[in-house]
Amino acid sequence: MKLPSSIKNWISITGTVLATFNLASIVSLMVLNSVFGFGGSYIGLFIYIVLPAFMVFGLILIPVGMRINSKRARKAEQEGEPLKWPIIDFNNPAVRNAGIIFIVGTVFLLIISSIGSYEAFHYTESVEFSGKLCHQVMEPEYTTYHGSSHERVACVECHVGSGASWYVKSKLSGLYQVYSVLAKKYPKPIPTPIENLRPARETCEQCHWPEKFYDRKMRIQHAFLADDANTENIIHLQFKTSSKMTANGVEKGIHQHISPEVKIEYKAVSEDRQVIPWVRYTNSITGESVVFTDSENSYTEVELDAMEVRVMDCLDCHNRPSHDYQVPQNFIDKSLAEGRISKDLPSIKLLAMIALNQEYPTKDSAFYAIKTQVKEYYEMIDPDMLTHRKADVEQAIAQIQRDYSNNIFPEMRSSWRYYPNNIGHMEAEGCFRCHNDRHRSDSGKVISKDCNLCHDILAQGTPGNIVYSSSFESLDFEHPVDIDEAWRVESCSVCHTALY
Ligand code: HEC
Ligand code: HEC
Ligand code: HEC
Ligand code: HEC
Ligand code: HEC
Ligand code: HEC
C-alpha cells in the first residue's frame, strides 16, 4: 500500500509506534481487567488516563513529523519560491490511501475516545479514585467516611458541584492534588474547612431540605467515668430539632437557623471559624435585624470590618457529616456501652484515656503503647488478672486499638484535635461559639446558653438510680462529678477537651 512519502520520517514513525503500542496496551488491559479482574482498582488510572495521554501524544507526532518533512522537501525543491499549501489529489493512490486511513482512523478514534472519556469521567468521580488512589493521604477521610450515615453518598456528591465550570475547576485542582501526592507536597493534616466546598444548597439540600420537619429526637447517652469502677452515667436528652407548639407558644427549634425566613450571618477571627465575635440575625418577613457582638472579645471596628461575612448554613453545625473524628472519651464510652470492652475490668476507661490522649508518631507505636500500658497496669494491681481474665483483657486491648485506628491517624496528623465537630458544646465550643450569653445586641438581648433552649433533659443518673422528669419538663442538669457550679460559668469544653 502506498502512502505519501512525507510520512517517512523519524518523528512520524516514532509517533505511529507509540500510538499503536499504547492502543494495544489499552485494549489488552481492558480485556484482562473485565474478563479476569486483573489489576485491581488502580488499573483504571492507566486505562483511562495515562495510556490514552501517551497515545494521543503519539498521534499528534505523526502529522507534526509529516509537516516538517514536507516543508523541508519542498524547500529543497523550490529554492526561493514562497511556500504553498500542499495539493490534495485523490487520483494519486498514495494520497487516496492516506486519506482513507485518516478518515477511518479519525472516526474510530472519536468513538474510542468518547467511550474512553466517558469511562475516564466516571472513574475520576468514583469513591475508589478519591479514596484509594491517594490511600495514605486520604486514609483518615476514607476511614471516617465508612461507617458514617453517608457511606453510600459518593465523595463527589459533596465535594464537586454540578455544571461544567465546577467540573473543570475540580479536575484542575485534582491534577494539582495528584501532583502534590506524587511529589509528597501535601500538607498534614489536610486543611479544613475546605474553601471551595460545594455549597450546602447544592449538596445537603438535594437530599435534606430546610423546611423538612423533624420530630423531636431522643438521645440516650451512656458515659463512663474514669474511676476504678468505670461508673456509668446516663442522660436522656430530647432534641428540639424543628419548631413545635408548646404551652408557652411556638418554640422555633434548632433548624430555625436555616429556615427560609431567617438569615444568620457571622464573622470569624480565623479560617477555622472557632472564634466568632460578630453575629447578625435578620428576619426576612418582618425585616427585623439585630447585631450581636461578643462583649469579651475586644476587636476594634476596623478589625471587624476586615473580616469576611459568612451566611450560616448546614455546615456551620454539621461540619463532620461524613468525616467525624471522635474524641477518645466518646468512642471508648460507645465500646463500653455496647459490651465490646468489658465494663467490669477495673479502671479500663481510665487506662484507655491515658493511652489515647498521648500523641504517637505512628499507628504501630500507638498499638504497642496501648497494649503494654494496659498489661503493665493489671500486672501491677493484680497479676492473676492476666490469667483468669485473659480473654477480656485481650479483647479490650484489641478494641481500644481498633477504635484508635478508626479515629486517630498519626501519619496524617488527623484527629479530633485538628478537626473539631461543631454540632454540640462538650469537647469543642460548637454551639457555644455564639450561644454563650456573651453575644449582646445594643438593646441588651443575648444569644442564649439556657440549658433548655436546644434540648430537654428527661432523665439523668446512674443505673438503678435514675431521676426521671415527671411532666415532660426539663430537669435541672446535675453534673455527674462534683465541680461545684463551674459548669454554669465555664464552657464545658474548657475541661472536657483536655480532661486527661
Ligand atoms: C455527605 C457529604 C460528604 C461526603 C459524601 C464526603 N465528604 Fe469529604 N467533607 C465533607 C465536609 C462537610 C467536609 C468538611 C468541610 C468543612 O469543614 O468545611 C469534608 C472534608 C473533607 C476533606 C478535608 C479534610 C477534613 O477532614 O476536613 C477531605 C480530604 C475529604 N473531605 C475527602 C473526602 C473523600 C475522599 C470522600 C469519599 C470517600 C468524601 N470526602 C466524602 C463532606 C463530605
Ligand atoms: C445523596 C443524598 C444525601 C446527601 C447529598 C446528604 N445526605 Fe445526609 N443523609 C442521607 C440519608 C439517606 C441519611 C439517613 C442515613 C441513615 O439513617 O442511616 C442521612 C442522614 C443525615 C444526618 C442524620 C444522621 C447523622 O449522622 O447524624 C445528618 C445530620 C445529615 N444527613 C446531614 C447532611 C449534611 C450536612 C449533608 C451535606 C454536607 C448531607 N447530609 C448530604 C442522605 C444524604
Ligand atoms: C444551628 C445548627 C444547625 C444547622 C445550621 C443545621 N442543623 Fe441539622 N441538626 C442540628 C442539631 C443540633 C440536630 C439534632 C441533634 C443530633 O441529631 O445530633 C440536627 C439534626 C439534623 C438531622 C437529623 C434529624 C433527625 O431527627 O433524624 C438532619 C438530617 C439534619 N440536621 C440536616 C441538616 C441540614 C441538611 C441542614 C442545612 C439545610 C442543617 N441540618 C442545618 C443542628 C443544625
Ligand atoms: C453563628 C452563631 C450561631 C451558632 C454557631 C449557633 N447559633 Fe443558634 N442562634 C443564633 C442566633 C443569632 C439565634 C437567634 C437569637 C435570638 O433571636 O434570640 C439563634 C437561636 C437559636 C435557637 C432558638 C430558636 C428560636 O428562636 O426559638 C436554638 C434552639 C438554637 N439557636 C440552637 C443552636 C444549636 C443547637 C447550635 C449548635 C449546633 C447553634 N444554635 C449554633 C446563632 C448561632
Ligand atoms: C445552643 C444549643 C444548646 C445549648 C444552649 C445547650 N446545649 Fe447541650 N447539647 C446541644 C447539642 C446540639 C448537643 C448534642 C451534640 C451531639 O450531637 O453530639 C448537646 C449535648 C449535651 C449533652 C450530652 C453530651 C455528651 O456528649 O455526653 C449534655 C449533658 C448537655 N448537652 C448539657 C447541656 C447543659 C448542662 C447546658 C446548659 C449549660 C446545655 N447543654 C446547653 C445543644 C445545646
Ligand atoms: C471544671 C471542669 C468541668 C467543666 C467546666 C465541665 N465538666 Fe463535665 N466533667 C468534668 C470532670 C472532671 C468529669 C469526670 C470525667 C471522668 O471521670 O471521665 C466530667 C464528666 C462529665 C460527664 C459524664 C462523663 C462524660 O464524659 O459524659 C458529663 C455528661 C459532663 N461532665 C457534662 C458537662 C457539661 C454539659 C458541661 C458544661 C455545661 C460540663 N460537663 C462542664 C469536669 C468539668
Side-chain angles (χ1 to χ4, degrees):
M1 193 164 75
K2 273 183 135 182
L3 286 171
S5 58
S6 63
I7 202 158
K8 289 179 196 141
N9 70 80
W10 284 114
I11 302 180
S12 303
I13 292 171
T14 316
T16 316
V17 173
L18 199 63
T20 322
F21 174 75
N22 280 295
L23 180 63
S25 321
I26 293 172
V27 173
S28 48
L29 281 181
M30 267 179 167
V31 172
L32 283 176
N33 179 246
S34 56
V35 181
F36 303 107
F38 167 84
S41 52
Y42 297 97
I43 202 74
L45 180 72
F46 288 91
I47 299 182
Y48 301 122
I49 297 168
V50 177
L51 294 177
F54 279 104
M55 187 175 90
V56 169
F57 180 65
L59 288 174
I60 292 171
L61 285 183
I62 301 175
V64 167
M66 287 170 75
R67 181 106 180 100
I68 294 175
N69 200 15
S70 64
K71 233 182 190 172
R72 207 185 288 143
R74 259 179 300 149
K75 217 171 189 175
E77 235 170 58
Q78 326 164 324
E79 271 302 356
E81 266 186 54
L83 287 179
K84 285 193 193 123
W85 283 88
I87 299 156
I88 298 173
D89 179 2
F90 277 101
N91 292 315
N92 181 339
V95 173
R96 196 162 58 230
N97 284 341
I100 292 170
I101 292 178
F102 180 75
I103 292 165
V104 174
T106 308
V107 170
F108 177 71
L109 270 176
L110 276 181
I111 295 172
I112 287 281
S113 62
S114 54
I115 298 175
S117 51
Y118 180 76
E119 289 292 336
F121 167 81
H122 267 265
Y123 180 68
T124 55
E125 302 281 282
S126 67
V127 172
E128 237 170 30
F129 182 76
S130 341
K132 283 204 186 142
L133 200 62
C134 318
H135 189 81
Q136 199 213 335
V137 188
M138 290 284 163
E139 192 201 353
E141 284 76 24
Y142 196 59
T143 312
T144 46
Y145 162 82
H146 287 291
S148 80
S149 305
H150 297 105
E151 183 169 2
R152 295 288 166 86
V153 181
C155 318
V156 292
E157 295 257 356
C158 293
H159 286 281
V160 185
S162 56
S165 73
W166 264 102
Y167 183 71
V168 172
K169 225 198 273 177
S170 79
K171 291 291 124 102
L172 284 180
S173 71
L175 276 182
Y176 177 74
Q177 281 155 14
V178 170
Y179 155 78
S180 58
V181 170
L182 294 177
K184 296 221 179 301
K185 280 200 158 175
Y186 49 86
K188 293 179 189 178
I190 299 176
T192 199
I194 303 175
E195 240 171 74
N196 44 12
L197 191 77
R198 192 175 168 184
R201 247 164 295 115
E202 291 174 24
T203 53
C204 320
E205 293 181 21
Q206 299 292 312
C207 299
H208 315 277
W209 51 101
E211 297 86 346
K212 166 109 175 61
F213 178 84
Y214 291 103
D215 281 331
R216 304 209 149 186
K217 186 155 95 183
M218 182 75 140
R219 280 253 301 257
I220 300 177
Q221 309 256 141
H222 296 259
F224 296 85
L225 299 185
D227 54 15
D228 283 352
N230 312 309
T231 307
E232 190 167 349
N233 186 74
I234 299 171
I235 185 160
H236 295 202
L237 289 168
Q238 192 182 48
F239 283 89
K240 306 176 180 181
T241 315
S242 291
S243 52
K244 187 187 168 189
M245 285 297 287
T246 64
N248 307 327
V250 180
E251 269 184 3
K252 291 185 198 137
I254 299 168
H255 277 172
Q256 170 74 5
H257 301 77
I258 43 153
S259 134
E261 292 154 26
V262 165
K263 182 156 106 180
I264 296 179
E265 296 154 299
Y266 68 86
K267 291 181 180 179
V269 170
S270 55
E271 297 253 294
D272 64 9
R273 304 178 188 150
Q274 290 301 304
V275 178
I276 297 179
W278 182 97
V279 181
R280 179 164 61 204
Y281 166 97
T282 311
N283 185 322
S284 50
I285 292 189
T286 61
E288 172 205 4
S289 175
V290 189
V291 172
F292 300 89
T293 46
D294 188 340
S295 45
E296 276 179 24
N297 273 330
S298 47
Y299 290 93
T300 61
E301 282 296 318
V302 182
E303 281 168 319
L304 281 176
D305 283 345
M307 292 175 200
E308 192 196 337
V309 179
R310 199 184 129 86
V311 180
M312 203 170 172
D313 66 23
C314 320
L315 296 178
D316 289 302
C317 302
H318 300 282
N319 66 330
R320 302 268 130 220
S322 68
H323 319 287
D324 186 8
Y325 302 85
Q326 294 179 41
V327 297
Q329 51 267 45
N330 292 352
F331 63 68
I332 294 297
D333 281 351
K334 204 150 171 255
S335 291
L336 280 163
E338 289 168 6
R340 278 173 284 136
I341 296 175
S342 178
K343 282 184 245 189
D344 51 8
L345 282 174
S347 306
I348 189 70
K349 172 85 187 273
L350 179 64
L351 289 175
M353 290 305 104
I354 292 172
L356 292 170
N357 276 279
Q358 288 153 26
E359 293 204 52
Y360 301 98
T362 59
K363 188 163 115 178
D364 291 340
S365 54
F367 275 28
Y368 180 76
I370 292 168
K371 189 166 131 188
T372 44
Q373 286 177 23
V374 171
K375 284 200 161 158
E376 274 169 13
Y377 179 80
Y378 286 137
E379 209 139 58
M380 188 184 75
I381 61 157
D382 178 8
D384 280 350
M385 280 265 301
L386 288 179
T387 44
H388 70 255
R389 300 209 53 191
K390 189 164 188 288
D392 284 342
V393 174
E394 298 285 343
Q395 196 196 347
I397 292 172
Q399 184 61 39
I400 298 170
Q401 292 173 333
R402 205 172 306 131
D403 285 339
Y404 179 94
S405 62
N406 283 333
N407 293 286
I408 301 171
F409 304 86
E411 282 89 356
M412 282 302 295
R413 292 198 222 128
S414 301
S415 72
W416 86 98
R417 286 180 224 270
Y418 188 73
Y419 298 116
N421 193 336
N422 292 334
I423 194 80
H425 50 75
M426 287 286 281
E427 295 86 14
E429 280 289 87
C431 311
F432 287 5
R433 287 172 299 164
C434 300
H435 288 267
N436 52 19
D437 285 346
R438 293 196 317 257
H439 285 70
R440 226 171 262 284
S441 73
D442 285 342
S443 62
K445 204 173 164 198
V446 292
I447 308 180
S448 166
K449 190 189 167 183
D450 179 353
C451 302
N452 303 333
L453 179 73
C454 310
H455 45 59
D456 286 331
I457 301 176
L458 297 187
Q460 61 186 341
T462 51
N465 193 15
I466 297 184
V467 181
Y468 289 92
S469 143
S470 50
S471 58
F472 294 107
E473 290 270 305
S474 183
L475 296 171
D476 272 339
F477 179 62
E478 294 262 351
H479 192 272
V481 293
D482 186 9
I483 54 166
D484 216 2
E485 297 286 274
W487 63 269
R488 285 187 201 275
V489 203
E490 301 279 357
S491 266
C492 317
S493 67
V494 168
C495 300
H496 281 266
T497 350
L499 259 177
Y500 303 95

